[in-house]
Amino acid sequence: MTALEPGDTDVTPDVPTPISPPEGSKGGGVLRKPYRALSFGIVSVVLLIAFEATAVGTAMPVAARELDGVSLYAFAFSAYFTTSLFGMVLAGQWADRRGPLGPLAGGIAAFAAGLLLAGTAGAMWMFILGRAVQGLGGGLVIVALYVVVSRAYPEHLRASILAAFAASWVVPSVVGPLVSGTVTEHLGWRWVFVGIPVLVVGPLALALPAIRRTASGPVDPAAPVEAFDRRRIRLALGISLGAGLLQYAGQDLRWLSLLPAAVGAAVLVPAVLGLLPRGTYRAVRGLPSVVLLRGIAAGSFIAAESFVPLMLVTERGLSPTMAGLSLAVGGATWALGSYVQSRPRMEPHRSKLMVVGMVLVASAIVAAPSVLIHAVPVWIVAVAWAFGCFGMGMVIASTSVLLLRLSAPQDAGANSAALQISDGLSNALLLAAGGAAFAALGGGMVGAGHGVGEAGGSHPAAFVAVFLPMAAVALVGAWVGTRLKERMD
């Protein structure tokens, strides 16, 4: 829903007006003239984030070795994650009160500044600081983009623009590691970090003017601007701190680790309950179940996916490049799944699509460790993951569509932040749990969800201990998918 419905004319010249669809139609597609600049701009922002995520992960091990910081390798990822959680909550409040233009511009600037800081770092601690600044920017950007979609596009176009977001990951998922590897090998890892900020200029030039025309300012310009909710800001700090402590404890399997784990849980639980919609973890029908399903889908799938390359390298002898490429086709099928859910004829069946999607995710996770049996060909993983990514494409895009549909315009920022928090938090917690089980059963060390370290002599049971529980979590998500519609009284 936009700030004003199509046809409303009581707008002062100083108030940004949302784009209205042409008379006698539903406005066409997201690339028609009224939406073209905005669509290209915000999709370019997503493309930038996607390329960074795939390229930087490839250069990270080399950076850690050159900075003599391999022991701190995981913190380069957890720093990004913890600050991004805080950025998500901050962006939700900022966008709801003053519009998404500020957090989007500030987020892109912080994202670029963090890349430059990491790329010019002379020590590992400075590199980690750069990743933290980058994470803050990433958290601001992702929530602001959802608010832009909520306010600048009518409901019938939101599924299409969210499908375009998913499609933006296809090329980076294939090209990113290859480009990053080539640059790292011939020019050095620093160029991967300092080169990406150059790409910021294009998205800014396209997106910001269009957002200023269509989605800037508060939803109701006549209403007084509320102050930031300091309680939610404190809860955001709590959730970041708690998640960081639990990640640390999950990677350090000693009795002393129980202390940071207990402190992290004590800080995290009340913060999560305060920031997510009431009833989320009871799977209450409607918005709470939408937010819960997003976390279940993202956490189970990403936690399992993080161990796939490691399994292929250590158990089947594939090179890291080939192991990574075995998952590359998933980018295309993810986009295809997102496209399928965006078709108007699929709208009445959205909940069923999401249940089917979670069943596909669970099936892919169960099938992956079958390659531990050497008689099973390794291409089974690529096929299974293609189906799993297809399911994820339907689920992730659909949760975004449903969230915006169930959110009042003035609550779109806070609810979008809750969706992203559920996504990121479950990702970290399930990765920590999977990593702890993997290490306890003789596996190697895994770095914080964004890359895999070396593992020598990993026991096959260690991989099974990761994949089977994640498949069970995904099946719980299929049940949650039956509770997305609000009960009609």
Side-chain angles (χ1 to χ4, degrees), residues 7 99 139 152 170 290 316-317:
V170 176
V290 172
R316 296 302 298 266

Side-chain angles (χ1 to χ4, degrees), residues 38-49 168 199 202-204 206:
L38 178 62
S39 297
F40 275 120
I42 61 178
V43 169
S44 297
V45 172
V46 176
L47 187 68
L48 171 66
I49 294 173
S168 299
L199 304 176
L204 282 175
L206 283 171

Side-chain angles (χ1 to χ4, degrees), residues 157-448:
L157 289 181
R158 292 174 188 166
S160 296
I161 192 64
L162 291 172
F165 283 3
S168 299
W169 283 80
V170 176
V171 174
S173 66
V174 177
V175 175
L178 297 177
V179 172
S180 177
T182 302
V183 172
T184 299
E185 182 178 348
H186 295 285
L187 298 177
W189 65 268
R190 295 183 184 276
W191 285 100
V192 175
F193 288 85
V194 301
I196 292 177
V198 176
L199 304 176
V200 170
V201 177
L204 282 175
L206 283 171
L208 297 188
I211 294 171
R212 184 177 291 110
R213 292 193 306 270
T214 62
S216 64
V219 173
D220 184 1
V225 178
E226 298 181 9
F228 278 63
D229 187 339
R230 294 183 179 179
R231 174 180 171 274
R232 290 184 66 86
I233 298 296
R234 289 194 298 268
L235 291 175
L237 289 173
I239 204 172
S240 297
L241 176 62
L245 288 172
L246 285 174
Q247 281 187 310
Y248 171 79
Q251 296 168 23
D252 188 20
L253 296 179
R254 296 183 300 168
W255 285 108
L256 289 177
S257 300
L258 293 176
L259 180 59
V263 174
V267 172
L268 180 67
V269 171
V272 169
L273 293 177
L275 288 174
L276 297 186
R278 181 173 297 178
T280 295
Y281 288 105
R282 291 185 288 112
V284 171
R285 288 186 177 274
L287 182 63
S289 286
V290 172
V291 173
L292 177 60
L293 179 57
R294 177 61 164 262
I296 289 175
S300 61
F301 188 79
I302 298 302
E305 185 179 60
S306 298
F307 287 85
V308 170
L310 182 64
M311 179 175 63
L312 294 176
V313 169
T314 60
E315 301 300 316
R316 296 302 298 266
L318 269 67
S319 68
T321 300
M322 290 302 298
L325 289 177
S326 68
L327 304 179
V329 68
T333 57
W334 189 308
L336 179 61
S338 186
Y339 171 81
V340 168
Q341 66 79 37
S342 72
R343 298 299 86 199
R345 71 184 67 175
M346 294 296 181
E347 186 57 41
H349 311 292
R350 185 172 298 281
S351 294
K352 292 181 180 178
L353 285 177
M354 298 172 78
V355 172
V356 171
M358 290 309 301
V359 171
L360 288 174
V361 170
S363 300
I365 296 174
V366 167
S370 66
V371 298
L372 293 170
I373 303 171
H374 282 252
V376 176
V378 293
W379 53 260
I380 289 295
V381 171
V383 173
W385 227 247
F387 280 99
C389 285
F390 180 79
M392 285 292 288
M394 292 193 295
V395 172
I396 296 300
S398 289
T399 55
S400 301
V401 172
L402 289 178
L403 177 114
L404 296 178
R405 181 181 301 162
L406 295 171
S407 300
Q410 64 271 20
D411 297 327
N415 289 342
S416 296
L419 191 75
Q420 298 303 322
I421 289 170
S422 178
D423 185 320
L425 182 61
S426 64
N427 185 353
L429 295 183
L430 289 178
L431 273 165
F438 182 73
L441 291 177
M445 295 187 66
V446 177

